[in-house]
Amino acid sequence: MFPFDSNSPASNGADWREDEAAFPFDRVINRRGTLSVKWDDVHRVFGCEDVWPMWIADMDFPAPKEVQEALQIRIEHGVFGYTVIPDSLKEAVCQWLKRRHDFAIDPSWLVFAHGVVPAVAAAIEAFSKPGDRVIVFSPVYRPLFDLVRRHDRTLIFSPLRLTENNYAIDWDDLEGKLPGARLLILCHPHNPGGKSWTKEELERIGELCLKHGVFILSDEIHADLTFPPAKHTPFASLHPELAAQSATFRAPTKTFNLAGLQAAEVIIPDESRRRAFRRVQQRHGFFTLNTFAIIGAEAAYRHGGPWLDALLDYLRQNIDMTAAYLADKLPQLRPVRPQATYLVWIDCRGLGLSEAELKKRLLEKGKLAVEFGSQFGQEGVGFIRLNIACPRPTLEEGLRRLAMALH
Ligand SMILES: Cc1ncc(COP(=O)(O)O)c(C=O)c1O
């Protein structure tokens, strides 16, 4: 049994409505024709037109208005020459981490990048050699294991175990694979499934990695999207020794829906590791962020807190609504309640369909695009991932299509 409805704390649904102008999550905005991968690129990705897009992980909500205003002011200036990353951005990131995650970092630990994926790629290059063993928990966000293969490292999956609540680490499997490994890539919170790893789990991972001299890459891009009472513990906040043995990847882009601006920050406390990472970035010609990434990120981290709180509340209601709908109309599907992320991972194995059949039903009959489980590795087969970060009418339409496809 998946306790989808039970442990969910009562959500405070009235809040965001009180100031709908500031938090217009219910407003449906047409994204077609805006170069949106999610809405404009479905034909290339899924081979059919007119499918309702609930796949790639961005949201159908406008960014916080303070971010829009800051960008507008900068656009009106009209001159877009080379940029420098200001100390004020580093300060905004540090203050955000302290405020939201009780994580105090030294600004000098921060390095910026175009995205978490390019930053993880640079880290693999900086901290390992071809042939080195790299461990990744699976199923997992595909680029995290694709990057390992593309860098000619030896990819080692450590399959997670699906439990009643969410995923759990198979400690015996992990311990068996750590000796001789160079890197462990952690997805925290985990995508798919939205598992927020607990302090105890992280400490145990850290202890084992220290014992075997394995360096940890902790992808924490979904950290800000953790639903209370779950609490995100930054891996590097556990202990100075673990901070030195890790690099943490974060971004304002997932939190504030700014993926098109392309920005991420990497926290690398150990100076020689940080230098090695910067050398790889420089080898690839990366020196700075674009103007809009800098302006957008700083405005978001400085002013986006109330918007994020309202967003989390709205997302939680969307998750509840999805759970209730599935329980009513599609009881054979077993959703995993995310402790973080707006991505609902749904076990469809009860339908007894192959992934090809499931795909055909969803795309051709339901006209619905979701992420199909094999994208996340072999352990994901039989699952789909539904992106519920959209206005409620958009979600209702998606769920209606899902039911239509599977009835
Ligand atoms: C776990 C994880 N890491 C990284 C990314 C993408 O990061 P970026 O767009 O900054 O490259 C995603 C996007 O969905 C993700 O889920």
Side-chain angles (χ1 to χ4, degrees):
M1 200 202 95
F2 287 55
F4 213 122
D5 306 292
S6 49
N7 298 328
S8 162
S11 85
N12 184 9
D15 286 354
W16 64 272
R17 283 181 200 278
E18 278 167 16
D19 192 357
E20 211 165 323
F23 310 126
F25 300 123
D26 246 356
R27 197 193 311 148
V28 177
I29 298 174
N30 181 9
R31 295 185 65 193
R32 288 207 168 93
T34 62
L35 308 180
S36 154
V37 173
K38 189 182 190 180
W39 287 84
D40 292 327
D41 210 22
V42 280
H43 186 262
R44 184 186 61 81
V45 179
F46 295 99
C48 39
E49 293 290 353
D50 275 349
V51 286
W52 203 245
M54 303 188 76
W55 58 295
I56 194 170
D58 72 17
M59 306 192 267
D60 293 331
F61 306 127
K65 78 176 178 332
E66 292 86 348
V67 173
Q68 297 180 44
E69 283 164 5
L71 292 171
Q72 255 147 14
I73 289 169
R74 186 64 188 82
I75 284 173
E76 274 161 26
H77 184 261
V79 183
F80 306 111
Y82 287 115
T83 54
V84 58
I85 296 176
D87 287 344
S88 58
L89 175 56
K90 291 192 171 183
E91 184 191 86
V93 173
C94 293
Q95 289 173 352
W96 178 266
L97 288 172
K98 183 75 189 109
R99 221 169 34 241
R100 303 287 305 197
H101 302 294
D102 196 21
F103 182 26
I105 66 161
D106 188 310
S108 70
W109 298 354
L110 282 171
V111 183
F112 291 90
H114 287 136
V116 164
V117 170
V120 170
I124 291 171
E125 203 173 315
F127 306 139
S128 66
K129 297 188 301 304
D132 278 352
R133 292 154 58 91
V134 179
I135 301 176
V136 188
F137 293 116
S138 61
V140 75
Y141 175 63
R142 183 169 201 97
L144 295 184
F145 63 86
D146 262 356
L147 288 173
V148 175
R149 288 193 180 124
R150 285 172 198 266
H151 283 80
D152 298 321
R153 274 50 172 178
T154 306
L155 175 64
I156 314 274
F157 280 125
S158 181
L160 296 169
R161 280 189 305 106
L162 191 58
T163 67
E164 298 230 324
N165 291 315
N166 206 304
Y167 280 108
I169 291 167
D170 180 338
W171 295 105
D172 290 340
D173 184 79
L174 179 64
E175 282 205 65
K177 289 171 178 169
L178 278 171
R182 178 76 59 186
L183 299 175
L184 172 86
I185 303 182
L186 184 63
C187 190
H188 173 42
H190 195 80
N191 171 17
K195 162 78 178 160
S196 172
W197 301 111
T198 63
K199 194 161 178 279
E200 292 69 32
E201 287 164 326
L202 295 169
E203 274 167 353
R204 192 160 170 194
I205 293 172
E207 207 175 290
L208 289 170
C209 285
L210 281 177
K211 178 172 158 197
H212 294 288
V214 175
F215 192 78
I216 296 116
L217 308 183
S218 187
D219 177 347
E220 302 189 12
I221 194 168
H222 293 283
D224 296 332
L225 297 165
T226 302
F227 301 104
K231 188 181 167 345
H232 176 77
T233 303
F235 182 81
S237 72
L238 289 173
H239 193 275
E241 228 182 325
L242 291 175
Q245 187 71 7
S246 65
T248 301
F249 304 81
R250 288 188 33 94
T253 51
K254 205 59 75 186
T255 312
F256 300 104
N257 207 27
L258 304 174
L261 299 190
Q262 298 191 314
E265 60 270 357
V266 192
I267 303 164
I268 312 179
D270 181 79
E271 195 186 340
S272 67
R273 295 273 186 181
R274 199 163 60 243
R275 283 220 194 96
F277 182 86
R278 286 293 294 139
R279 273 199 299 276
V280 171
Q281 283 193 310
Q282 284 163 357
R283 187 151 70 230
H284 291 282
F286 174 84
F287 297 101
T288 185
L289 294 173
N290 79 69
T291 308
F292 302 111
I294 296 170
I295 300 286
E298 183 164 343
Y301 281 136
R302 286 201 186 280
H303 308 294
W307 182 93
L308 175 59
D309 292 335
L311 173 79
L312 288 172
D313 201 47
Y314 193 88
L315 293 176
R316 192 208 300 274
Q317 291 176 61
N318 275 5
I319 292 169
D320 289 343
M321 185 177 132
T322 304
Y325 188 92
L326 295 183
D328 183 33
K329 301 273 194 290
L330 292 163
Q332 321 89 300
L333 304 194
R334 291 154 63 92
V336 177
R337 184 169 189 102
Q339 296 168 330
T341 81
Y342 47 74
L343 307 163
V344 181
W345 184 238
I346 305 174
D347 187 348
C348 301
R349 290 173 298 179
L351 295 170
L353 299 173
S354 69
E355 184 165 286
E357 287 164 335
L358 192 58
K359 240 182 194 167
K360 202 169 153 57
R361 291 263 202 109
L362 262 56
L363 291 169
E364 291 178 19
K365 192 168 167 216
K367 292 275 175 193
L368 176 69
V370 300
E371 296 285 352
F372 292 95
S374 62
Q375 271 296 314
F376 301 84
Q378 190 52 35
E379 289 77 20
V381 173
F383 291 73
I384 58 170
R385 197 194 71 179
L386 198 68
N387 176 348
I388 56 84
C390 54
R392 224 142 275 154
T394 309
L395 176 60
E396 280 161 11
E397 177 61 16
L399 292 173
R400 192 188 63 77
R401 288 173 184 237
L402 183 64
M404 197 199 9
L406 297 177
H407 274 152

